[in-house]
Amino acid sequence: MSEDADGVVPVLDQVTLTVLAEELNDTVAFIRFLERYFRMLPGRTERILHALEQRDTAQTMDAVLSLRISSAMVGALGIEEQCRTLQDMVHSGAWPAAALQGSRLQRTVDRFRDSEERLLREGEELTRTT
């Protein structure tokens, strides 16, 4: 498995997934949660990019926070970290840097989506061992 150009490997943190699986205590619910996360990635990313384009601080922060929290819940720590960086840039008013970070985030999300089948399979396998 290789890093993308921005240094992010499309993996889900096993510890985070284990905790989520144990909390849900239901394999079907766990897999649906992961599937929903992947299904919502394009819309969440598009919302961020649109808000960045508009330089709308409130909308950008809201959209980034939504993606950051959901990514943390499923262990997509690379996406979560990129969201934190983007939040800092927007908070400080560094819009050109934030736009570049938005492009990096888009590439990372694309890599995660390209790896969706493998990541879901790994999640399913994890539920067999917890």
Side-chain angles (χ1 to χ4, degrees):
M1 192 172 345
S2 62
E3 293 182 352
D4 67 11
D6 300 305
V8 178
V9 177
V11 296
L12 300 177
D13 180 68
Q14 297 300 298
V15 173
T16 303
L17 283 177
T18 299
V19 170
L20 179 62
E22 289 173 352
E23 286 177 358
L24 291 175
N25 197 28
D26 181 340
T27 300
V28 173
F30 174 75
I31 297 304
R32 282 189 184 148
F33 191 90
L34 290 177
E35 289 172 340
R36 188 174 314 117
Y37 171 78
F38 282 106
R39 196 170 50 250
M40 294 179 81
L41 273 175
R44 285 183 170 149
T45 308
E46 180 58 36
R47 187 171 160 227
I48 290 169
L49 296 176
H50 179 75
L52 282 169
E53 205 173 271
Q54 301 301 313
R55 292 191 175 192
D56 185 326
T57 301
Q59 288 297 319
T60 302
M61 294 299 263
D62 184 60
V64 171
L65 183 62
S66 174
L67 179 57
R68 190 184 111 206
I69 289 171
S70 63
S71 296
M73 291 176 71
V74 300
L77 304 182
I79 292 175
E80 179 193 11
E81 182 58 36
Q82 287 191 356
C83 286
R84 284 182 192 275
T85 300
L86 185 52
Q87 281 181 301
D88 291 344
M89 291 172 174
V90 170
H91 183 69
S92 68
W95 290 104
L100 289 173
Q101 180 63 21
S103 295
R104 282 186 208 104
L105 178 62
Q106 178 67 64
R107 287 190 302 270
T108 299
V109 166
D110 290 345
R111 282 286 301 265
F112 269 75
R113 293 193 65 226
D114 290 345
S115 301
E116 177 179 355
E117 187 177 312
R118 176 184 55 81
L119 294 170
L120 287 171
R121 190 174 50 252
E122 290 172 4
E124 284 184 50
E125 290 169 8
L126 179 71
T127 61
R128 293 186 203 120
T129 62
T130 58

